[in-house]
């Protein structure tokens, strides 16, 4: 739910690539300053306790210049009234040496807005990843012109979302070869109509979402030639009572068509089944993901999907409010989900946390998806009325030991990783090309953090697969990759935009291979229906697969 903003700074910096020796414990090392990232989010707070101040903002890994190295964009908000300063989002180019260069100035992204979330994909199939930024004062679509330059094409595109946009995701929902766009909208809020609420009956506090009416989320169909059409009502996703904060794309019924899970705050979550005719049907109630196990709608923020038990099905991870624990919904394979968090360490450890950005990733490359949750409350004074709940909270990291068993391992990751913060967005990517996934985390009205994974590649092997569509959309959204290792067995994953909270991770798929030095088979299933098969692929590399040409160098 709540937010922050700030300006970004300059330099580059190189970075020691210190991989841990065999047997050494894995650490997530805070390399933010060493990597040249200097960013502080500005929520605009000035004592008025305006609702949007609690929710922002996110960030994303994406490859802005197509050089194979993941760059970073960090979204900023701004002051409510001018104070003689400008706070901008920040664009950082990966220098390929473990550091980043601030290239915001003159990029086209150097415009002030009350920004919230970001999604990235190549919507016009020109080979460059474009950006969509949600903002309180109107979302903006930025076309990647190349050379680190972006152009605001919002008006020309036909997109007009002046609502309270939060998370977003590009998705080719009709499999026509073009990336469409889903935008999660939160509540009906205006500065001039801000409400007054109080925790203690005396001083103003931030209002809960129950105080405001919901807002319809938006689905924009990509018509080609840079144009989009609002098809929200026709597609069946324009629910006016929703209060949406997160969106993740998944194919929960394994029919080859992308479905949508929407995390709603104090309203029932949505699970939109793709009807394969341009429309969706909400199956959340029947599937068991609309409410908590007590039958009450939770305060849901971020969401992700992944096959954490290697059952061949897509399961759900949902970040919820404090005293509600994370949602870990296991897909039973019959269009029904069961929340396994209450009976696992995931639920026990997350009960007092308020989770925003959440995702599955394999940080130790053993072939089992682990869990990360970025936490932080929305109310600074929460400790006065709920002594067990803290405003600043450390993140949570769970290692997947297999057989649905998770253990809390974040406490072993060092003091910097366990620093209590007011976290919001979170994303992962291998920014330094050493095979193991690193973490980007944003905070509300505070700095962003970059944590380098040191030692995740020490014991286990890996393979990363990056796809490029031709008949399918260029970003390969919706493509499925299945791999088998001689000993590590079968795994699969799919390419998707968005996820987490107001953020996005690398579109490439990383597979942990354990002791396997090769992947016996790599199968790719494209949204166009095309299929490819490759055999005996060596571990320890990124394989680039083109839909038309196969593996390319």
């Amino acid at each position: 739910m709540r937010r922050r903003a700030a300006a970004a700074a300059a330099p580059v910096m190189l970075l020691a690539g210190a991989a841990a020796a065999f047997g050494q414990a894995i650490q997530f090392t805070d390399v933010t300053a060493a990597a040249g990232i200097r960013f502080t989010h500005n929520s605009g707070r000035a004592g008025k306790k305006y609702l949007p101040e609690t929710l922002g903002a996110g960030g994303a890994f994406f490859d802005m210049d197509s050089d194979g190295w993941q760059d970073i964009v960090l979204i900023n908000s701004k002051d409510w009234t001018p104070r003689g300063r400008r706070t901008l989002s920040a664009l950082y180019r990966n220098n390929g040496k473990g550091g980043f260069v601030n290239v915001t100035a003159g990029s086209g992204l150097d415009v002030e807005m009350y920004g919230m979330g970001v999604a990235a994909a190549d919507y016009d199939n020109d080979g460059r990843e474009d950006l969509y930024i949600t903002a309180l004062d109107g979302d903006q679509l930025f076309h990647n012109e190349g050379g680190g330059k972006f152009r605001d094409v919002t008006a020309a595109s036909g997109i007009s979302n002046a609502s309270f946009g939060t998370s977003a995701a590009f998705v080719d929902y009709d499999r026509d070869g073009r990336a469409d766009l889903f935008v999660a909208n939160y509540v009906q809020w205006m500065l001039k109509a801000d409400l007054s609420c109080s925790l203690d009956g005396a001083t103003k506090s931030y209002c809960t979402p129950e105080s405001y009416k919901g807002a319809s989320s938006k689905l924009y169909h990509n018509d080609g030639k840079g144009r989009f059409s609002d098809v929200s009502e026709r597609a069946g996703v324009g629910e006016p009572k929703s209060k949406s904060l997160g969106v993740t794309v998944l194919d929960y019924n394994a029919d080859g068509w992308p479905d949508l899970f929407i995390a709603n705050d104090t309203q029932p979550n949505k699970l939109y089944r793709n009807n394969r005719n341009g429309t969706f049907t909400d199956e959340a109630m029947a599937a068991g993901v609309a409410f908590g196990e007590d039958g009450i709608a939770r305060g849901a923020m971020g969401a992700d999907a992944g096959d954490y038990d290697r059952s061949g099905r897509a399961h759900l991870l949902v970040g919820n409010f404090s005293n509600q624990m994370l949602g870990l919904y296991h897909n039973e394979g019959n269009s029904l989900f069961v929340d396994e968090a209450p009976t696992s360490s995931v639920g026990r450890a997350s009960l007092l946390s308020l989770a925003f950005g959440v995702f599955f990733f394999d940080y130790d490359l053993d072939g089992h998806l682990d869990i990360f949750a970025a936490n932080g409350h929305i109310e600074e004074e929460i400790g006065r009325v709920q002594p067990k709940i803290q405003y600043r909270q450390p993140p949570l990291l769970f290692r997947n030991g297999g057989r649905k068993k998770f253990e809390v391992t974040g406490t072993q990751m060092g003091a910097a990783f366990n620093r209590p913060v007011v976290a919001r967005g979170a994303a992962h990517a291998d920014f330094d090309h050493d095979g193991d996934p690193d973490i980007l985390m944003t905070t509300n009205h505070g700095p962003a953090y970059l944590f380098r994974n040191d030692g995740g590649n020490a014991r286990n092997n890996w393979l990363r697969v990056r796809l490029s569509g031709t008949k399918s959309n260029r970003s390969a959204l919706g493509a499925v990759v299945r791999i088998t290792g001689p000993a590590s067995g079968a795994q699969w994953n799919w390419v998707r935009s968005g996820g987490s909270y107001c953020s996005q991770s690398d579109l490439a798929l990383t597979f942990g291979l354990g002791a396997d030095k090769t992947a016996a088979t790599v199968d790719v299933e494209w949204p166009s229906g095309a299929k490819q098969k490759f055999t005996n692929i060596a571990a320890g590399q990124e394989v680039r697969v083109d839909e038309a040409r196969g593996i390319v160098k």
Side-chain angles (χ1 to χ4, degrees), residues 1 210 264-266 292-294 296-301 318-329 339 341-342 346-348 350-355 389:
M1 314 204 15
E210 290 97 333
N264 282 323
D265 187 6
T266 70
E293 62 175 3
D294 56 3
I296 297 174
R298 292 170 168 171
M301 283 71 173
V318 183
N320 291 313
F321 209 77
S322 52
N323 291 316
Q324 295 180 341
M325 70 183 61
L326 289 169
L328 184 61
Y329 293 100
D339 188 0
V346 172
R348 292 189 293 272
S350 64
L351 179 61
L352 300 181
S353 298
L354 198 168
I389 308 295

Side-chain angles (χ1 to χ4, degrees), residues 3 76 95 150 164 166 266 270 299 347 399 412 469 541 549:
R3 24 239 165 240
N76 215 336
N95 65 11
F150 292 80
F164 195 151
T166 52
T266 70
K270 300 293 183 183
R399 180 181 177 273
Q412 306 165 19
Q541 64 170 322
R549 295 179 292 159

Side-chain angles (χ1 to χ4, degrees), residues 356-542:
F356 277 84
V358 295
F359 54 71
F360 290 110
F361 73 144
D362 186 2
Y363 78 85
D364 57 357
L365 303 174
D366 66 351
H368 299 282
L369 293 179
D370 310 303
I371 291 174
F372 177 82
N375 307 312
H377 211 275
I378 62 171
E379 178 53 63
E380 295 169 273
E381 303 298 322
I382 188 62
R384 289 199 296 114
V385 294
Q386 296 185 46
K388 292 184 178 181
I389 308 295
Q390 301 300 312
Y391 177 54
R392 293 177 175 83
Q393 303 173 358
L396 285 169
L397 181 67
F398 298 91
R399 180 181 177 273
N400 186 341
R403 299 184 179 181
K404 302 185 183 180
K405 300 295 184 182
F406 288 89
E407 61 176 319
V408 178
T409 52
T411 52
Q412 306 165 19
M413 298 298 160
F417 183 83
N418 285 282
R419 173 196 301 118
V421 295
V422 187
R424 294 297 180 257
H428 60 88
D430 177 17
F431 80 87
D432 54 355
H433 280 202
D434 66 351
D436 47 30
D438 311 296
I439 296 173
L440 176 70
M441 184 173 71
T442 69
T443 68
N444 179 261
H445 209 72
Y449 296 97
L450 180 65
F451 294 102
R452 187 185 63 210
N453 185 334
D454 289 334
N457 60 2
R459 301 183 184 186
N460 295 314
N461 295 310
W462 55 276
L463 180 70
R464 185 161 48 254
V465 181
R466 189 174 301 278
L467 304 178
S468 178
T470 50
K471 186 176 181 181
S472 301
N473 67 88
R474 182 66 69 90
S475 293
L477 302 175
V480 174
V481 177
R482 304 181 191 277
I483 74 168
T484 59
S488 59
Q491 301 178 58
W492 71 287
N493 207 337
W494 67 101
V495 181
R496 58 201 182 278
S497 164
S500 185
Y501 171 75
C502 286
S503 300
Q504 180 168 311
S505 300
D506 185 5
L507 292 177
L509 304 176
T510 296
F511 295 91
L513 294 178
D516 285 338
K517 295 182 178 181
T518 62
T521 61
V522 176
D523 292 277
V524 183
E525 301 166 8
W526 295 89
S528 67
K531 295 183 178 181
Q532 296 167 316
K533 188 179 189 69
F534 310 99
T535 58
N536 298 320
I537 304 300
Q541 64 170 322
E542 177 175 292

Side-chain angles (χ1 to χ4, degrees), residues 1-5 39 41-42 52 55-60 73-78 80 87-90 109 111-120 130-142 152 154 159-170 181-187 216-220 244-247 424-425 442 497-504:
M1 314 204 15
R2 328 292 173 188
R3 24 239 165 240
R4 234 205 207 102
F39 177 87
H41 174 253
N42 171 26
L55 288 175
V73 61
L74 295 166
I75 305 305
N76 215 336
S77 306
K78 65 179 182 178
W80 296 108
T87 49
L88 306 175
S89 297
L109 301 181
V111 291
E112 199 173 33
M113 67 180 81
Y114 202 98
M116 295 297 298
V118 60
D130 311 297
L131 293 175
Y132 184 84
I133 298 177
T134 62
L136 197 63
D137 36 8
D139 298 357
Q140 292 180 261
L141 177 65
F142 291 94
D152 182 358
T154 315
I159 293 175
S160 178
N161 188 54
S163 188
F164 195 151
T166 52
S167 297
F170 286 98
L181 176 68
F182 182 90
V183 183
N185 285 324
Y186 190 39
V187 297
S216 297
S217 293
K218 295 289 186 180
L219 179 63
Y220 292 99
S244 304
L245 290 175
V247 53
R424 294 297 180 257
T442 69
S497 164
S500 185
Y501 171 75
C502 286
S503 300
Q504 180 168 311

Side-chain angles (χ1 to χ4, degrees), residues 71-417:
D71 309 301
I72 290 174
V73 61
L74 295 166
I75 305 305
N76 215 336
S77 306
K78 65 179 182 178
D79 294 329
W80 296 108
T81 55
R83 299 186 197 174
R85 63 175 179 173
R86 295 177 74 226
T87 49
L88 306 175
S89 297
L91 181 64
Y92 287 96
R93 180 178 60 79
N94 191 327
N95 65 11
K97 301 175 182 179
F100 292 82
V101 182
N102 189 326
V103 294
T104 312
S107 67
L109 301 181
D110 49 348
V111 291
E112 199 173 33
M113 67 180 81
Y114 202 98
M116 295 297 298
V118 60
D122 181 3
Y123 76 83
D124 60 347
N125 295 331
D126 66 354
R128 297 184 293 267
E129 288 186 64
D130 311 297
L131 293 175
Y132 184 84
I133 298 177
T134 62
L136 197 63
D137 36 8
D139 298 357
Q140 292 180 261
L141 177 65
F142 291 94
H143 182 261
N144 190 336
E145 304 283 292
K149 305 298 182 183
F150 292 80
R151 179 167 54 94
D152 182 358
V153 295
T154 315
S157 72
I159 293 175
S160 178
N161 188 54
S163 188
F164 195 151
T166 52
S167 297
F170 286 98
V171 51
D172 185 3
Y173 73 89
D174 56 355
R175 305 199 322 189
D176 65 352
R178 296 187 293 266
D180 312 300
L181 176 68
F182 182 90
V183 183
N185 285 324
Y186 190 39
V187 297
Q188 298 178 34
W189 182 90
M190 291 186 295
L191 182 63
K192 62 183 180 182
D194 182 68
L195 301 178
S196 182
C197 301
S198 178
L199 276 176
D200 56 13
T203 57
K204 184 178 181 183
S205 62
Y206 290 109
C207 290
T208 61
E210 290 97 333
S211 303
Y212 294 93
K213 293 181 179 179
S216 297
S217 293
K218 295 289 186 180
L219 179 63
Y220 292 99
H221 180 264
N222 188 336
D223 300 327
K225 299 182 179 180
R227 296 286 300 178
F228 289 80
S229 297
D230 183 350
V231 296
S232 313
E233 295 299 324
R234 187 170 70 220
V237 300
E239 166 55 59
K241 294 182 180 180
S242 287
K243 300 175 182 180
S244 304
L245 290 175
V247 53
T248 191
V249 181
L250 73 163
D251 179 10
Y252 78 93
N253 55 359
D255 66 352
W257 292 75
D259 310 304
L260 299 168
F261 174 81
I262 315 301
N264 282 323
D265 187 6
T266 70
Q267 287 291 311
N269 297 324
K270 300 293 183 183
L271 180 62
Y272 289 118
R273 175 174 53 81
N274 192 326
N275 296 323
R276 299 186 266 180
N277 60 1
T279 69
F280 293 81
T281 299
D282 178 21
E283 301 285 358
M285 186 85 73
V289 298
F291 303 101
E293 62 175 3
D294 56 3
I296 297 174
R298 292 170 168 171
M301 283 71 173
D304 193 22
D307 184 5
Y308 67 83
D309 65 347
R310 300 173 75 165
S311 63
R313 299 185 290 271
H315 314 293
L316 283 167
L317 175 66
V318 183
N320 291 313
F321 209 77
S322 52
N323 291 316
Q324 295 180 341
M325 70 183 61
L326 289 169
L328 184 61
Y329 293 100
H330 184 266
N331 186 340
E332 300 291 293
N334 53 4
S335 298
L336 179 68
F337 290 75
V338 174
D339 188 0
E340 296 190 326
T343 58
S344 75
S345 60
V346 172
R348 292 189 293 272
S350 64
L351 179 61
L352 300 181
S353 298
L354 198 168
F356 277 84
V358 295
F359 54 71
F360 290 110
F361 73 144
D362 186 2
Y363 78 85
D364 57 357
L365 303 174
D366 66 351
H368 299 282
L369 293 179
D370 310 303
I371 291 174
F372 177 82
N375 307 312
H377 211 275
I378 62 171
E379 178 53 63
E380 295 169 273
E381 303 298 322
I382 188 62
R384 289 199 296 114
V385 294
Q386 296 185 46
K388 292 184 178 181
I389 308 295
Q390 301 300 312
Y391 177 54
R392 293 177 175 83
Q393 303 173 358
L396 285 169
L397 181 67
F398 298 91
R399 180 181 177 273
N400 186 341
R403 299 184 179 181
K404 302 185 183 180
K405 300 295 184 182
F406 288 89
E407 61 176 319
V408 178
T409 52
T411 52
Q412 306 165 19
M413 298 298 160
F417 183 83

